[in-house]
Amino acid sequence: MTRQADKLHAVRTESERFTVTLIATAAQAVARLMQITGLSKTDVINRAVQVYAFLAQQMAEGKEIYLRDEEGNTERVHIV
């Protein structure tokens, strides 16, 4: 890559603007998360993508995801 291309690539990896259309259930989930967390729409979506990337990586490595309640009951999480 040229020096200019390196600079452009570095800028894009730091921050990039996307325009997406969310289905109704996803838009409702974003609204619920904003209420629960007090975060902005941008922050909620950024965190959601990061969590999904982490979970997808763990599952790709053969790991399973479980939730455990306060009584110790566990339930396997299936992400399709």
Side-chain angles (χ1 to χ4, degrees), residues 18-69:
F18 289 90
T19 300
V20 298
T21 302
L22 299 179
I23 61 173
T25 54
Q28 292 165 0
V30 169
R32 279 194 312 275
L33 284 166
M34 290 171 63
Q35 287 179 329
I36 292 167
T37 64
L39 295 172
S40 69
K41 189 181 294 184
T42 297
D43 288 337
V44 164
I45 293 170
N46 276 316
R47 289 181 185 201
V49 170
Q50 291 175 65
V51 168
Y52 180 53
F54 170 77
L55 295 175
Q57 180 64 47
Q58 297 303 304
M59 291 184 299
E61 293 173 7
K63 297 177 184 170
E64 296 177 343
I65 311 297
Y66 287 87
L67 292 176
R68 183 176 30 238
D69 67 19

Side-chain angles (χ1 to χ4, degrees), residues 5-6 9 11-12 17 24 27 30 33 44 56-57 70 72 78 80:
D6 286 339
H9 180 69
V11 170
R12 282 192 210 120
R17 179 176 289 271
V30 169
L33 284 166
V44 164
Q57 180 64 47
E70 63 275 353
H78 298 272
V80 293

